[in-house]
Amino acid sequence: MGSVQIEESSLSAGRQASEKPRLPGLAPLARLLRPVHRHLFICAALSAAAAGAGLVPYIAVAELARAVLPPNSPASVANVAWASVGIGAAGAALRLVLVFLSSRIGHYADAEMLHHIRSRLIRHLGQLPLGWFRARGSGAVKKAMTDDLEEMHQLIAHALGEMIGASVAIIAGLGYLAFVDWRMTVVTAAVLASMCVFYRIAMRSMTHHILRLIAAEEKISAASVEYADGISVVKAFGTSGKVLDRFAEAVLEYKLAMRDWVLETRFSSAASRLLASEMTVLGAVMIVGLPLIAAGHLNTSSLLPFLIVGIGLPTSITPAVQGSQGLRKGRVSAAHIESLLSRAPLPEADEPLRPHGHHIEFDEVRFSYDGKADAIAEFSAICEPGTVTAIVGPSGAGKTTIASLLPRFYDVTGGAIRIGGVDLRSMDAATLLSSMSLVFQDIVLLRDTVTENIRIGRPNASDKEVRAAARAARIEDVIERLPQGFDTLLGAQGTGLSGGERQRLTIARAILSRAPIVVLDEATASLDPDSEVAVQEALAELTRGKTVIVIAHRLHTVMGADQILVLDHGRVIERGTHEALLGKGGLYARLWAAQHSGAQQ
């Protein structure tokens, strides 16, 4: 039943994609290639010259064959033979040199271009709002950074040179054959033109099918990443079947797209391949040429170039076809990359302001993820320096959304958030983020040494300062027990460290930053009691004398907060100290009673 549903949904997707999209223009590709256009021009010129030089040995052989036929004398044959051998050898040697230079320059341009595009993508992605990543997933980013750049590599390093070289070889070859006999040239060109007609028929809907395959590939990438990220949950609960449904649906959609393309082009593609074979050209030349020779309208010596040079022309067709396909794919990839680069980042102020102090004001803040329902509504609060503000409430109340709005992962849709009297939207990103330390429940460690993972908090910090931050976070002893101490290489999951130890490592990072504002989002929610005690000690060191906002689920961790804001459905329904809120007997008191009774049991 599941496979039937997948089949139906995929076929439905195929019907939705039946509206044929247009192939992106050359403009996006031209803009991306602009930094290396001079290198590409030189590469193209060398490829064209190499193609012409590569044709010289075949022409030399053809002329030598014509020379040995009567009525030429042996003396003249000897002169022509040596000249042909010399010219052919020189052409072959020159071709090798030109191909080497063209490949070298093409690959240099490729490396330069990929570095430039990757750098632009990384810088731009860093400026996009976090909501864009959550909406699109990692599939689009992975496709741009790997699949699209691979297509660009094939285009720059291989396809452009091959396509230009093959085109020059065909034009130069036909030009030489026309000089020998125009009638046989027409026959040869007619075969190649027929091949082009059938190829055009086969590729008439190539853009539609390529874009459909690319969409399926993006879904496969997103599903693969999703499956890999959640593999522990999948194995723990034995739900691989359900989790793989999305992956299976994407794979099936890719298969159906490929099947549709193959079925549509099977006859025209076979005909174009048949016409592009050397044997087809040979047959056409012999069928027309032999009767002309028998009738005395064509010399045998004039037929030989078509048997030597003419039948070799189809071998240039394949690189030209592959190059044109590479150009099409490159245009699609360039358009996708440019669509990412054109995504509007969070707007920056033309004349950024610097905050005066570090008190935080939430002024009638509203925020919506979808532009329809408010996740946060009329949220107002003031957080003074040296105080702790706790934000609590049931799941889905909007606590983590508040934590995401403060560092401007999203922009508010109404009201304003101010630091030191300055609206976040009037501050530049560097000033804003350097003013706060963020410690989230989801721990992110880089694939680097312990020292460098802590040093992210302040890249210019010395090793001594890194160790001091680790000591303040109660993690130095743990680090010293690692195989290489502070030089131990960590993975994304913090290999060799427990959850509480990884959390203390991120706290050390925050301590090192010396930021005057600290935002803690469920920093101890998933820790065992022993780890929580150690983390709470580290947090006490981190938050001393700073403006602190704590997003908490465990209410006993915020009993000493200067003010507690109780959220429900994005609105503040209660505020006060722990004792005052318990006395009101409202939502906070009910949450406290529920957690306290659970702990008692």
Side-chain angles (χ1 to χ4, degrees), residues 570-601:
R571 298 176 182 272
V572 178
I573 60 172
E574 294 177 334
R575 68 179 71 213
T577 62
H578 172 71
E579 290 78 8
L581 290 173
L582 285 181
K584 290 182 180 180
L587 177 59
Y588 182 86
R590 294 196 298 273
L591 292 173
W592 174 266
Q595 291 187 13
H596 187 67
S597 62
Q600 291 277 351
Q601 294 174 3

Side-chain angles (χ1 to χ4, degrees), residues 405-443:
L405 292 176
L406 189 57
R408 209 184 170 202
F409 290 163
Y410 303 91
D411 260 344
V412 299
T413 52
I417 303 177
R418 302 182 184 91
I419 295 179
V422 176
D423 193 310
L424 300 186
R425 293 165 291 191
S426 299
M427 301 169 60
D428 65 74
T431 300
L432 173 62
L433 294 176
S434 65
S435 69
M436 61 183 67
S437 298
L438 308 172
V439 181
F440 294 113
Q441 178 182 355
D442 297 328
I443 303 164

Side-chain angles (χ1 to χ4, degrees), residues 451-452 454-455 458-469 486 512 514:
T451 297
E452 294 306 318
I454 297 176
R455 191 175 272 142
R458 186 155 49 91
N460 60 351
S462 65
D463 288 348
K464 184 177 180 180
E465 289 173 316
V466 170
R467 287 179 173 271
F486 278 80
L512 185 66
R514 300 175 180 172

Side-chain angles (χ1 to χ4, degrees), residues 297-367:
H297 299 306
L298 181 69
N299 295 326
T300 303
S301 61
S302 297
L303 183 63
L304 288 176
F306 293 91
L307 300 178
I308 297 172
V309 177
I311 65 172
L313 293 181
T315 60
S316 300
I317 294 289
T318 300
V321 168
Q322 292 176 344
S324 67
Q325 291 178 350
L327 179 60
R328 285 172 176 262
K329 292 179 179 179
R331 288 163 66 179
V332 173
S333 296
H336 183 250
I337 291 172
E338 192 165 80
S339 72
L340 285 185
L341 293 173
S342 64
R343 294 279 175 180
L346 289 174
E348 293 278 354
D350 294 331
E351 297 182 3
L353 303 177
R354 299 190 67 86
H356 304 288
H358 302 102
H359 67 276
I360 301 170
E361 179 186 2
F362 295 89
D363 183 10
E364 298 291 328
V365 170
R366 290 190 301 104
F367 176 74

Side-chain angles (χ1 to χ4, degrees), residues 140-478:
V141 176
K142 183 262 181 187
K143 183 182 182 304
M145 296 297 290
T146 57
D147 301 341
D148 288 335
L149 290 182
E150 175 62 24
E151 296 295 351
M152 295 293 290
H153 159 73
Q154 292 295 330
L155 174 64
I156 298 170
H158 303 286
L160 284 178
E162 291 174 354
M163 183 171 59
I164 292 173
S167 301
V168 169
I170 293 171
I171 294 171
L174 289 174
Y176 165 71
L177 294 177
F179 175 77
V180 175
D181 187 273
W182 68 270
R183 295 166 299 178
M184 295 304 299
T185 303
V186 170
V187 174
T188 305
V191 176
L192 299 180
S194 299
M195 186 282 302
C196 292
V197 170
F198 279 101
Y199 174 76
R200 181 66 179 173
I201 294 173
M203 297 295 108
R204 65 187 182 277
S205 56
M206 178 182 179
T207 303
H208 162 67
H209 292 294
I210 284 181
L211 294 179
R212 187 178 169 191
L213 290 171
I214 287 174
E217 286 176 351
E218 187 171 324
K219 292 180 181 179
I220 291 173
S221 298
S224 300
V225 172
E226 180 184 57
Y227 181 73
D229 287 346
I231 190 65
S232 58
V233 176
V234 171
K235 287 185 175 293
F237 290 94
T239 57
S240 58
K242 288 186 177 180
V243 176
L244 284 175
D245 277 352
R246 187 177 300 175
F247 178 81
E249 182 177 348
V251 171
L252 183 58
E253 185 174 336
Y254 186 92
K255 184 193 78 171
L256 293 174
M258 181 61 73
R259 183 202 64 185
D260 292 346
W261 193 6
V262 171
L263 291 176
E264 180 184 310
T265 62
R266 61 188 184 277
F267 297 120
S268 54
S269 179
S272 67
R273 289 178 181 274
L274 178 63
L275 291 167
S277 70
E278 294 87 345
M279 295 307 298
T280 302
V281 177
L282 175 62
V285 168
M286 296 299 288
I287 289 172
V288 177
L290 291 179
L292 289 176
I293 292 175
H297 299 306
L298 181 69
N299 295 326
T300 303
S301 61
S302 297
L303 183 63
L304 288 176
F306 293 91
L307 300 178
I308 297 172
V309 177
I311 65 172
L313 293 181
T315 60
S316 300
I317 294 289
T318 300
V321 168
Q322 292 176 344
S324 67
Q325 291 178 350
L327 179 60
R328 285 172 176 262
K329 292 179 179 179
R331 288 163 66 179
V332 173
S333 296
H336 183 250
I337 291 172
E338 192 165 80
S339 72
L340 285 185
L341 293 173
S342 64
R343 294 279 175 180
L346 289 174
E348 293 278 354
D350 294 331
E351 297 182 3
L353 303 177
R354 299 190 67 86
H356 304 288
H358 302 102
H359 67 276
I360 301 170
E361 179 186 2
F362 295 89
D363 183 10
E364 298 291 328
V365 170
R366 290 190 301 104
F367 176 74
S368 173
Y369 286 102
D370 57 8
K372 299 176 182 178
D374 283 340
I376 299 296
E378 301 176 4
F379 180 87
S380 296
I382 294 177
C383 309
E384 297 290 349
T387 66
V388 176
T389 298
I391 302 176
V392 303
S395 298
K399 304 185 296 297
T400 297
T401 300
I402 293 294
S404 299
L405 292 176
L406 189 57
R408 209 184 170 202
F409 290 163
Y410 303 91
D411 260 344
V412 299
T413 52
I417 303 177
R418 302 182 184 91
I419 295 179
V422 176
D423 193 310
L424 300 186
R425 293 165 291 191
S426 299
M427 301 169 60
D428 65 74
T431 300
L432 173 62
L433 294 176
S434 65
S435 69
M436 61 183 67
S437 298
L438 308 172
V439 181
F440 294 113
Q441 178 182 355
D442 297 328
I443 303 164
V444 178
L445 298 179
L446 302 183
R447 199 175 300 277
D448 208 335
T449 63
V450 175
T451 297
E452 294 306 318
N453 267 281
I454 297 176
R455 191 175 272 142
I456 294 172
R458 186 155 49 91
N460 60 351
S462 65
D463 288 348
K464 184 177 180 180
E465 289 173 316
V466 170
R467 287 179 173 271
R471 190 178 309 116
R474 313 295 194 269
I475 190 64
E476 184 182 28
D477 293 342
V478 175

Side-chain angles (χ1 to χ4, degrees), residues 439-443 498-508 521-527 535:
V439 181
F440 294 113
Q441 178 182 355
D442 297 328
I443 303 164
S498 68
E501 292 164 348
R502 295 200 305 273
Q503 190 65 280
R504 277 181 278 164
L505 199 65
T506 64
I507 293 172
D521 183 9
E522 304 278 14
T524 63
S526 60
L527 302 181
V535 170

